[in-house]
Amino acid sequence: MDSETNIKLHKLKVYLDKLPDSIPFVNELETDYGFAYFGIDPQDEEDIGVEGAINRQLEIRLGHRHNGPIQLKERGPGLTGVVPVLDKYLSQLPGSIILKKWVDDLIDSAELAYRQAGCSPPDMLAQACGALLPVVTTHVTQLPEMADDLDTHGVDLEEENQLSDSRKGKKLDSKALTQFDDERYEDLPEIEDTRPTGVKLLPLLRDLTRRCQKKNLHSSGMQHNMVGHKEPTTYPHPCIKM
C-alpha cells in the first residue's frame, strides 16, 4: 500500500473515532454496520472477483454513493471497523481503484457529518501525525558507551581535530617573498620614492621585489637578469628581481 493511501486511512480512522455527538452512538451488538464481522460471499467472489465481492458487501452495509456522500447514521465500533477492513484488502489489492474510492468517499461522509453538526473535523496535524510518526529525541551529550569505545581505540578528539585541520590546505597569510638568495646576483640599495607628484610606488611592490645586478659584470652596459627569465637582458639601470 502506498503512503498516501495509508495516511488517508489514518485520517478516516480519526474522523470516525471522533464523530459529533449529534450522531447516535451504537454499541457493537446493536450496530447496523457490523464491520467487526465483515466477510465476502464466496459466490460473489466467484462471479465478480474479490474486488467486486468486497465492493458489494460495502454497499450492503453502508449504502450506495450515487447521490453524493453517504449519510452516517451511527457512530461507534460497528462503523469504525470499516477502517481495518479497508486496510486489510488494500494491503492485498494495493492498486484497487474501487477500494481507494471507498476511502475517499467515507472521508467525505465524515466531513459532511461534521459540517451538519456545525463543527470542524479533528486537527490532523495534532491528532494524526503523532500516531503516524514516532517521536525521536536527540541528545547532544556523549553516551558513556561511545566514550569508552573512543578510549579503547586510543582516539583523542582534540588530536583528531588538529589532524583534520592539518589535512586541509591552508592559505598563506602573505604573498611577500620570504627569501631573496641568488648567488648570481647582488642586491642594490633600495631607492626611496620621494617624488612629490605622480603615481607612487605601491608598498606591496617592495615586499615582492628586490633591486639587484648580476655579479662580475664584464660589459660596459649593465647586464641584468630578471629572475624567471632564461636569457640575460641589458638594461641601462639596475633590474628588479621578482
Side-chain angles (χ1 to χ4, degrees):
M1 185 192 313
D2 59 89
S3 59
E4 182 182 359
T5 303
N6 191 40
I7 291 173
K8 287 182 178 180
L9 280 172
H10 186 81
K11 181 178 183 179
L12 176 61
K13 181 180 186 305
V14 173
Y15 279 11
L16 296 183
D17 282 341
K18 299 181 179 295
L19 284 173
D21 294 341
S22 57
I23 300 176
F25 180 87
V26 179
N27 62 47
E28 192 172 358
L29 298 177
E30 298 176 345
T31 178
D32 290 333
Y33 292 132
F35 281 104
Y37 309 100
F38 184 86
I40 58 177
D41 190 320
Q43 187 62 47
D44 288 342
E45 183 178 358
E46 183 178 347
D47 294 340
I48 55 179
V50 175
E51 188 178 33
I54 298 168
N55 181 62
R56 174 167 293 179
Q57 288 301 314
L58 289 172
E59 288 180 340
I60 291 173
R61 285 169 167 76
L62 293 167
H64 292 278
R65 302 161 288 169
H66 305 310
N67 299 320
I70 298 170
Q71 292 282 342
L72 301 178
K73 55 187 178 180
E74 66 178 65
R75 59 188 174 93
L79 176 60
T80 57
V82 70
V83 177
V85 168
L86 290 170
D87 184 31
K88 172 186 174 182
Y89 288 110
L90 275 168
S91 298
Q92 298 175 8
L93 306 168
S96 173
I97 303 300
I98 294 177
L99 296 182
K100 288 182 179 181
K101 190 174 188 308
W102 269 109
V103 176
D104 292 334
D105 290 346
L106 285 173
I107 289 176
D108 291 341
S109 296
E111 290 176 342
L112 175 63
Y114 285 103
R115 289 196 300 271
Q116 291 174 337
C119 57
S120 300
D123 183 2
M124 291 303 300
L125 203 58
Q127 301 278 345
C129 292
L132 286 174
L133 301 176
V135 177
V136 179
T137 304
T138 57
H139 301 278
V140 296
T141 54
Q142 182 176 309
L143 296 176
E145 298 88 339
M146 294 175 63
D148 294 341
D149 185 62
L150 290 174
D151 292 340
T152 302
H153 292 82
V155 177
D156 184 66
L157 294 180
E158 183 177 355
E159 181 181 351
E160 181 66 21
N161 290 334
Q162 293 175 354
L163 289 174
S164 177
D165 291 339
S166 66
R167 296 188 190 105
K168 301 176 182 178
K170 293 184 178 181
K171 186 177 180 181
L172 294 176
D173 295 334
S174 172
K175 293 184 179 180
L177 297 177
T178 57
Q179 60 87 20
F180 305 91
D181 297 334
D182 191 328
E183 296 180 355
R184 298 172 299 168
Y185 296 88
E186 58 185 0
D187 292 340
L188 295 176
E190 297 294 335
I191 300 176
E192 187 70 22
D193 188 3
T194 58
R195 294 175 296 171
T197 60
V199 180
K200 293 290 185 179
L201 183 67
L202 293 175
L204 181 60
L205 188 58
R206 294 189 178 185
D207 294 332
L208 299 178
T209 64
R210 281 292 184 271
R211 296 179 69 250
C212 64
Q213 70 178 15
K214 197 167 185 179
K215 297 178 180 179
N216 301 323
L217 294 176
H218 299 290
S219 62
S220 58
M222 299 186 69
Q223 189 181 57
H224 302 283
N225 270 18
M226 297 291 287
V227 174
H229 290 263
K230 295 182 178 179
E231 298 299 331
T233 305
T234 301
Y235 297 94
H237 300 288
C239 72
I240 295 178
K241 179 167 58 177
M242 303 294 288

